[in-house]
Amino acid sequence: LVNDMVIYLDLVFIINFCYDFLLLMTVDITLKRRTKIYKLIIGALIGSLSLVILFFPLPKFLLFISKIISSIIMVLITYSYKDILYTFNNLLYLYMSSVILGGFLYLLDLEFSYKNEGLIFYFDGISINYIILLIIAPLILGLYIYQNKRIKKLYNYNYKVKIIFKNNKEIECNALLDSGNKLRDPITKKYIIMVEKGFLKDNIRSPIYVPYKALNKTGILSCISIKYIEINNKIFTNYLVGISNDTFNIEGINCILNNKLLEDL
């Protein structure tokens, strides 16, 4: 009994074990470590057992150091040691995941357990059930994993592209390398990158009409002959710019590169 409050150690241990297991699994999925399930369990057990330190009258600085040490041990046991960078990345993603999860859970607890008048917050007696928090936690971490993969996928294939036209005018656009774009002019044998019409402005002159077939759909695509495109300081001349009348609806993207550039880059 501490300050008229009963602490159920078994409940605290189980809850922390669940959270540590979820965090370690989040790191495993995000970084594609493919760790054995028993290692995740052992790592989570180590994290939960470290709670014992909190019951010793240690200074805050030593408690902080002990938490870092226990985190390092968790990471080393769960994912093994390959090199310093590998271990550092594991530890970094563990902390990022815990900050995101802890922040969301704190926000939910603040919203449901407290009321405020201006900047004054007070407890109103309503608390979120631990079971509900455990159900919400995987959803939060799942969303984090999804967004992390989405951002990686987007930016791994995201390029700055400079297009130089026949009249020496140039534009710079944000491009996404799309493996699904395999358009090619059957006559000139040039590959086609797509650019939004509105982004081309007054550079649309003397278009070339190229027949295309995509997803059982055929049509005629208006293209512009250019001098070259420049990506990562490399020059590519065997390309045409296709005019897209529709926007791509991809954040910050106004150009879709051709699948051929997977090889060329």
Side-chain angles (χ1 to χ4, degrees):
L1 190 65
V2 180
N3 295 331
D4 297 327
M5 180 178 68
V6 178
I7 300 175
Y8 296 97
L9 292 178
D10 53 348
L11 180 61
V12 173
F13 178 84
I14 292 170
I15 291 171
N16 277 275
F17 171 80
C18 292
Y19 284 143
D20 287 336
F21 182 82
L22 287 170
L23 291 172
L24 291 170
M25 183 176 286
T26 299
V27 176
D28 182 66
I29 296 172
T30 304
L31 298 180
K32 298 181 179 178
R33 298 308 190 206
R34 296 178 176 85
T35 308
K36 300 291 185 181
I37 190 71
Y38 74 88
K39 285 191 173 184
L40 293 171
I41 293 173
I42 294 172
L45 283 171
I46 295 296
S48 300
L49 289 172
S50 65
L51 288 171
V52 175
I53 301 171
L54 299 177
F55 293 93
F56 291 95
L58 297 175
K60 289 184 178 179
F61 177 73
L62 289 179
L63 285 174
F64 175 74
I65 295 298
S66 65
K67 288 179 182 178
I68 292 178
I69 293 172
S70 65
S71 299
I72 294 173
I73 294 172
M74 283 173 62
V75 164
L76 290 174
I77 289 175
T78 306
Y79 309 111
S80 302
Y81 178 83
K82 291 186 178 179
D83 53 54
I84 294 177
L85 182 60
Y86 174 86
T87 302
F88 176 77
N89 282 333
N90 292 334
L91 191 63
L92 177 64
Y93 271 80
L94 178 66
Y95 276 108
M96 285 196 300
S97 302
S98 62
V99 167
I100 290 169
L101 178 60
F104 267 101
L105 295 181
Y106 176 76
L107 175 64
L108 290 173
D109 190 48
L110 196 66
E111 286 293 324
F112 288 97
S113 302
Y114 291 82
K115 289 184 179 180
N116 71 293
E117 294 179 4
L119 295 176
I120 306 300
F121 288 81
Y122 59 91
F123 185 70
D124 68 353
I126 302 173
S127 184
I128 304 179
N129 189 286
Y130 287 118
I131 301 299
I132 295 176
L133 290 179
L134 284 174
I135 294 172
I136 293 173
L139 298 177
I140 294 170
L141 293 174
L143 180 63
Y144 166 71
I145 293 170
Y146 169 77
Q147 290 294 338
N148 188 279
K149 287 188 174 182
R150 176 178 171 272
I151 290 171
K152 277 186 177 180
K153 183 177 180 181
L154 179 62
Y155 287 96
N156 280 348
Y157 294 98
N158 189 293
Y159 297 88
K160 281 286 185 183
V161 177
K162 188 181 290 184
I163 302 174
I164 288 76
F165 297 91
K166 294 285 188 179
N167 57 5
N168 290 322
K169 285 188 177 182
E170 63 180 58
I171 61 171
E172 192 173 87
C173 49
N174 297 319
L176 181 69
L177 204 161
D178 182 9
S179 59
N181 178 14
K182 300 178 181 179
L183 294 171
R184 190 180 187 186
D185 180 9
I187 298 175
T188 63
K189 305 300 181 183
K190 290 186 176 183
Y191 298 92
I192 300 172
I193 66 171
M194 300 297 299
V195 179
E196 293 176 354
K197 184 176 182 179
F199 197 75
L200 289 168
K201 299 176 182 177
D202 59 345
N203 291 303
I204 302 176
R205 296 178 181 177
S206 305
I208 301 170
Y209 298 102
V210 177
Y212 74 90
K213 181 178 180 181
L215 297 175
N216 298 320
K217 180 181 177 182
T218 58
I220 301 295
L221 178 66
S222 298
C223 298
I224 306 170
S225 181
I226 59 173
K227 272 192 174 182
Y228 60 86
I229 59 175
E230 182 180 332
I231 307 173
N232 293 342
N233 296 319
K234 294 182 179 180
I235 303 298
F236 304 96
T237 57
N238 194 35
Y239 287 87
L240 297 173
V241 171
I243 304 170
S244 173
N245 293 316
D246 302 318
T247 56
F248 299 131
N249 294 321
I250 304 174
E251 185 179 349
I253 298 299
N254 36 50
C255 174
I256 301 294
L257 298 178
N258 195 283
N259 177 66
K260 181 65 167 60
L261 283 160
L262 277 172
E263 305 170 18
D264 294 342
L265 288 169

